[in-house]
Amino acid sequence: MRKPVPSVVGQRCLLVAALSLATFGLLSSCAEAPPQGTPGTPSATQPTQSFAQWRDDFRSQAMAAGISAHTFDTAFAGIEPDDSVITADRSQPEFTRPIWQYLEGAVSAARVRNGQDRLLQNTDALQRIDSTYGVDREAVMAIWGMESNFGQQMGSKNVIRSLATLAYEGRRPEFGRDQLIAALQILQHGDVPASNMIGSWAGAMGQTQFIPTTYNRYAVDFDGDGRRDIWGSSSDALASTANYLHASGWQRGQTWGFEVSLPQGFDYAEADMGIRKPIAEWQRLGVRPVSANQPIAATNASLLLPAGHRGPAFLVTDNFRAILKYNNSTSYALAVGLLADSFKGGGQLAGQWPVDEAPLSRSERIELQQKLMDRGFNPGSVDGIIGANTRQAIRAFQKTISWPADGYPTQALLDRLRD
């Protein structure tokens, strides 16, 4: 499922590393099968054999996995490592965009208009998809828009070459090998010829940006032509997305979430994706929907503050979590939800973003984590990624200085830690 405009799928973390950094290090993954996973520990080891030697060894592994010699040799004809893939794989941008800038591009007026047009153009297919999978058509359309601009930007790299490069000398060779075997299985099945298997540098493919293992589990032939063609068939791509969301726990008729207002003196430590309460319980705590539409009170939800206590607040449901399994970035999931609402005339926010706050750079996030560690607060790995452990450490420190414990990293917080 960057981007940053992201791409899909649990283990395709490689693909959306840029997005995770762009949203203050919120972990980002791609559309992989639930349960979600990560590709493993990055490897700094350089190849100890030539690419030709590695290819021959891998050929034996592929054949042991059921790949025919013809499929392998055809797919690997003329394949050499792609240096640009390694550059992208190892890229760690220092400066990134804040969430409000990301959303401005992701939920642009042009994308909303294009999505509304596509909803009309694909009415029949979307009706059948809704009946089959029980996933709101606007959510499916929003993911299509986020992943490939409605099929217009699917990437241009040879997927076999990209994955072979990652398997040979990337940071996560196991990820590359697993995806490469899956890609060869797709070719052997006859869904797409090797010449048409194009995608991103990390191997995300087609209009839905599935990585190969996700494709093998969730791609469907919805137009009945005998091929699961997420490159050329919008029906196959949209149905495959709906199938993935359904498998990830999407609940028919349930909202992804909605903007809320918080009462004075609210305990911001409640804003944690690990805390889930019935919406009725949130309402008893003084949390109120901004719009007049009343959600189902029994539905479980978590409170999300994507820009800390100074920015808009949201209650998000299990459908939001289903989007997270497609791409494990809260910014991405929020963009999908707001874009889906915008297709229906909604999506506008009452809360204001703290646009006067400059986001922390990667080196500043690392410094913040180190200073939290030095003060006895455990932020987890000192890697510049603001994950659950770091947010918990921030909250613990914020409480000691009587600041709102929202777990959000800011320049002011870093300056206080520097004291």
Side-chain angles (χ1 to χ4, degrees):
M1 330 288 238
R2 328 128 109 198
K3 56 192 187 52
V5 176
S7 285
V8 169
V9 219
Q11 289 187 341
R12 72 175 194 186
C13 290
L14 289 171
L15 176 63
V16 291
L19 176 61
S20 64
L21 290 170
T23 53
F24 299 105
L26 295 174
L27 178 62
S28 200
S29 70
C30 321
E32 174 59 334
Q36 163 189 329
T38 53
T41 304
S43 171
T45 303
Q46 296 299 309
T48 58
Q49 55 186 175
S50 69
F51 180 75
Q53 291 171 324
W54 172 86
R55 181 195 59 217
D56 291 344
D57 288 346
F58 181 72
R59 186 176 187 272
S60 298
Q61 297 174 36
M63 293 181 69
I67 303 301
S68 71
H70 174 74
T71 297
F72 187 96
D73 295 340
T74 300
F76 270 81
I79 293 295
E80 294 291 339
D82 184 342
D83 290 341
S84 68
V85 169
I86 295 303
T87 299
D89 183 41
R90 295 174 182 169
S91 174
Q92 298 188 70
E94 176 68 13
F95 296 100
T96 55
R97 296 189 299 170
I99 183 173
W100 46 92
Q101 291 181 8
Y102 169 67
L103 291 175
E104 184 178 7
V107 193
S108 66
R111 181 167 285 171
V112 172
R113 289 193 302 270
N114 288 340
Q116 291 170 332
D117 289 343
R118 299 303 177 101
L119 280 163
L120 291 174
Q121 295 166 13
N122 294 274
T123 297
D124 292 342
L126 289 167
Q127 179 60 49
R128 291 197 299 122
I129 289 169
D130 188 299
S131 298
T132 303
Y133 301 106
V135 177
D136 297 350
R137 65 189 65 191
E138 290 84 6
V140 173
M141 188 61 55
I143 287 178
W144 191 24
M146 291 290 292
E147 292 302 329
S148 67
N149 194 23
F150 309 106
Q152 301 305 302
Q153 299 168 356
M154 294 185 283
S156 60
K157 289 192 174 295
N158 180 309
V159 168
I160 297 298
R161 185 185 185 195
S162 294
L163 292 174
T165 302
L166 293 172
Y168 172 57
E169 58 178 321
R171 293 179 301 139
R172 298 173 174 88
E174 296 84 1
F175 170 85
R177 285 194 295 269
D178 289 346
Q179 299 308 318
L180 192 48
I181 291 290
L184 292 170
Q185 291 169 340
I186 295 167
L187 296 177
Q188 187 156 286
H189 187 267
D191 288 300
V192 62
S195 58
N196 290 355
M197 185 182 269
I198 60 171
S200 75
W201 66 265
M205 313 177 301
Q207 299 183 39
T208 50
Q209 293 291 279
F210 278 7
I211 58 171
T213 51
T214 297
Y215 177 102
N216 280 339
R217 293 185 184 183
Y218 299 107
V220 297
D221 170 25
F222 204 71
D223 60 15
D225 68 353
R227 296 181 299 118
R228 301 169 296 171
D229 183 9
I230 64 172
W231 295 266
S233 169
S234 58
S235 294
D236 286 2
L238 294 172
S240 297
T241 295
N243 187 34
Y244 184 86
L245 290 174
H246 174 75
S248 299
W250 186 276
Q251 300 296 308
R252 183 192 293 271
Q254 183 181 103
T255 180
W256 63 269
F258 48 92
E259 188 181 6
V260 295
S261 62
L262 305 178
Q264 290 289 331
F266 185 79
D267 180 5
Y268 291 104
E270 295 282 344
D272 189 306
M273 289 296 291
I275 298 174
R276 303 168 73 177
K277 305 177 189 288
I279 290 174
E281 177 62 23
W282 288 112
Q283 292 174 329
R284 282 192 287 272
L285 294 174
V287 178
R288 296 287 183 263
V290 168
S291 71
N293 296 328
Q294 291 296 316
I296 300 173
T299 301
N300 283 324
S302 298
L303 182 62
L304 175 68
L305 300 178
H309 73 281
R310 294 184 61 209
F314 303 86
L315 283 181
V316 296
T317 70
D318 287 342
N319 284 354
F320 188 87
R321 296 176 188 275
I323 301 171
L324 285 176
K325 289 180 180 178
Y326 201 92
N327 184 322
N328 192 25
S329 160
T330 55
S331 295
Y332 175 88
L334 184 59
V336 168
L338 293 174
L339 185 57
D341 288 350
S342 296
F343 295 148
K344 299 178 287 187
Q348 296 78 32
L349 299 180
Q352 300 297 310
W353 297 106
V355 295
D356 58 325
E357 271 185 7
L360 297 181
S361 67
R362 178 175 177 272
S363 58
E364 287 173 327
R365 294 193 300 270
I366 290 174
E367 181 186 359
L368 180 142
Q369 290 173 320
Q370 185 60 57
K371 289 190 176 300
L372 286 169
M373 182 78 76
D374 294 343
R375 287 175 177 256
F377 301 97
N378 180 16
S381 300
V382 179
D383 54 10
I385 297 175
I386 308 300
N389 289 335
T390 300
R391 290 192 293 273
Q392 287 292 89
I394 291 173
R395 285 194 183 96
F397 175 68
Q398 288 171 326
K399 289 179 180 179
T400 66
I401 56 175
S402 300
W403 282 17
D406 58 8
Y408 187 69
T410 63
Q411 292 287 346
L413 181 73
L414 179 57
D415 288 342
R416 186 63 181 263
L417 283 165
R418 286 168 173 164
D419 290 344

